[in-house]
Each structure stands twice: as C-alpha cells, then as structure tokens.
Amino acid sequence: MEEYEESIRKNLDGVRARMKAAAVASGRDPAQILLLAATKTVPVEQINFAARECGLTDIGENKVQELLAKYDGYDKERLRIHFIGRLQRNKVKYIIDKVCLIHSLDSFELAAEIDRQAKKHGIVMDTLVEINAGKEKNKGGIPIEELPAFLEKIRPFDGIRVKGLMTVAPNCETPEEYLRYFQEIYEKFLDIWKEKPHNREGYSLSMGMSDSFEQAIACGSSLIRVGSAIFGRRDYGAAAPRT
Ligand SMILES: *Cc1c(COP(=O)(O)O)cnc(C)c1O
C-alpha cells in the first residue's frame, strides 16, 4: 500500500501542476479552482492519507451505500464530503447531514425531498443542478434548455440553496469537442447567474474530470472532479483499487 500512497502523492502533485498551468493559460487565478477527488472504490485509509499528507480538502462519492460504509472512517477534520452521483429520493435522508454539497439535483421530486429533509435537520442544503447537455439517456441531469424553468419551479424550496451547475461531459474524442461542450454550459451558467447577482460570490460550476479538466478550466469551471488521474484506473466492479 505504501507504493500506492506514493503514487497518489505523485499523481496529486501532477494534477495540481496541470490545473495551475491551465488556469494561468486562460488568465484565471488558480486559487479560484477547487480540486475535488472522486473517491469511488478508494479505501478510506488512502483517502485519509491524501488528506493528511497531501493537503486534499474535498472528496466526492457517487454511491450512497459506499459513502455510508466509509463515513465513520473519513478524516472529517480535514475533509469536506460531496455527493456527486445519481441520488435516489429515498436515500436523501441518509446523506443530508453528511455532505456539504449535492452535485446531482436533477428533478423536482428530488428537490422536494432534499428540501423536506433539510428542514427536518434545520439546515439549508447546498446543491448544484446537474445538466445533461449531451442528452445522453443513461445519464442524470436535465437538458440545458429546461434550466430556467426548473430553477423557477424549485425556487419555493427554501431548504435548498442552488449554488450553480454540474455536468458530466459525454466521452469526447478531441480536446476541441470538450471545449465546445464546456463552453456551452459556461455561457448558460453566466446567463442564469447574471440574473442572480446576489449570489455571484459563492457560485460553483462543477465540470471537468481526469480526461477533460484542463479544457473545463479553460471554460470557466470552478470545481473539477478528478478520480483516475489521482488514484489510478480502477475496476469499479472490484473491491480493491488497482494501481
Ligand atoms: C468517477 C467520477 C468522476 C471522476 O472521473 P475520472 O474520469 O476517474 O476522473 C467525476 N464525476 C463523477 C460524477 C464521477 O462519478
């Protein structure tokens, strides 16, 4: 495992260097971009190693069951936990008091349940609306054209604070394709948040993964979700990660 931890350290350094270069190249302040490590299938010991030894501050899980199984073990003094996967309504109650941001709000029913559970806990839950601009059927998210109406519809839910947008890009063949995809989302994001000037400060645009974070940063991403570039390619069906 020591070898695995050394590779995590090296990979994190590499990702941070590439983030910084991508930010500088597009005239952005690198400090404005948050690195979230996508930790599916990564054992909690290695997650905590990255927090303790490499300054990792934010992680994202995409399965409720896995998050709950690891929850007691996370170094919660050092880590903020995000939920980045598809969220079923009946599972909101398990994570509402454990995560700082839900990235995958994509239906009215889910919003209603998050609102209900948040009020039960006396909190306001930060969320991102997930956009499926590639209109892929097996993926979560709402079509980008429906965003204004969706935001309007969920506005009465004061147990929810919408902080921005999240997207999982379709698999693209070239950097240019990613750029086109992310640019479209960014323009929409600006349109919407222009009308919410009170909320410009804490806004968040969660886009970019291992194979696309540099393009996402060039297109205004404020939060990238990186898994395999840090933890190695993993077989998501297996119990332990391969390095
Ligand atoms: C796994 C995952 C990521 C990270 O993907 P990589 O390609 O491994 O960097 C980002 N976002 C979500 C929602 C994920 O499930």
Side-chain angles (χ1 to χ4, degrees):
M1 271 303 167
E2 233 164 74
E3 219 172 288
Y4 183 40
E5 290 179 348
E6 274 324 299
S7 80
I8 292 173
R9 184 199 299 279
K10 210 168 88 242
N11 290 343
L12 259 172
D13 287 347
V15 167
R16 286 182 173 131
R18 285 166 59 195
M19 278 176 78
K20 192 167 168 193
V24 169
S26 45
R28 302 186 59 201
D29 176 1
Q32 298 303 310
I33 301 151
L34 179 67
L35 172 62
L36 174 151
T39 46
K40 53 179 165 267
T41 76
V42 181
V44 84
E45 291 74 20
Q46 276 69 45
I47 298 173
N48 290 345
F49 166 83
R52 199 177 58 241
E53 305 292 331
C54 318
L56 184 68
T57 56
D58 290 77
I59 61 166
E61 293 288 356
N62 68 340
K63 291 213 168 78
V64 170
Q65 207 179 357
E66 185 175 345
L67 189 154
L68 294 177
K70 293 172 172 177
Y71 187 72
D72 285 340
Y74 294 129
D75 184 343
K76 291 186 274 294
E77 306 255 298
R78 291 190 168 86
L79 289 169
R80 283 183 293 263
I81 300 155
H82 301 234
F83 192 77
I84 61 176
R86 281 194 105 163
L87 182 55
Q88 286 172 298
R89 249 183 306 164
N90 61 356
K91 300 211 168 136
V92 173
K93 58 178 177 284
Y94 300 120
I95 64 161
I96 191 81
D97 57 344
K98 299 182 176 62
V99 301
C100 65
L101 182 64
I102 295 173
H103 291 229
S104 46
L105 173 58
D106 67 352
S107 77
F108 180 79
E109 292 74 21
L110 181 58
E113 178 62 9
I114 295 173
D115 180 62
R116 199 170 76 89
Q117 294 295 340
K119 283 171 179 155
K120 233 170 152 175
H121 287 263
I123 59 170
V124 176
M125 189 70 225
D126 286 336
T127 62
L128 304 177
V129 175
E130 183 174 352
I131 301 295
N132 181 350
K135 296 202 176 66
E136 294 165 286
K137 288 227 168 56
N138 55 353
K139 242 187 220 169
I142 62 169
I144 201 158
E145 313 80 71
E146 291 174 17
L147 179 63
F150 181 71
L151 289 174
E152 200 48 43
K153 214 169 147 198
I154 65 172
R155 194 150 63 164
F157 294 137
D158 51 12
I160 293 181
R161 194 185 294 119
V162 177
K163 303 274 282 187
L165 306 179
M166 179 274 224
T167 194
V168 178
N171 284 325
C172 297
E173 299 287 325
T174 63
E176 289 71 30
E177 272 179 67
Y178 278 120
L179 285 171
R180 268 199 302 279
Y181 180 87
F182 291 137
Q183 192 60 36
E184 186 189 354
I185 304 273
Y186 184 59
E187 278 162 19
K188 196 69 188 177
F189 175 73
L190 286 184
D191 280 353
I192 301 282
W193 262 261
K194 253 200 312 259
E195 290 158 24
K196 297 178 127 214
H198 58 285
N199 207 8
R200 271 317 273 281
E201 286 292 296
Y203 82 90
S204 193
L205 181 56
S206 168
M207 62 183 191
M209 310 190 347
S210 291
D211 56 356
S212 62
F213 68 83
E214 284 149 315
Q215 289 80 35
I217 289 170
C219 298
S221 172
S222 61
L223 189 165
I224 60 172
R225 309 177 309 270
V226 180
S228 50
I230 299 172
F231 301 109
R233 293 255 163 232
R234 286 155 288 158
D235 175 354
Y236 294 140
R242 292 183 308 201
T243 57

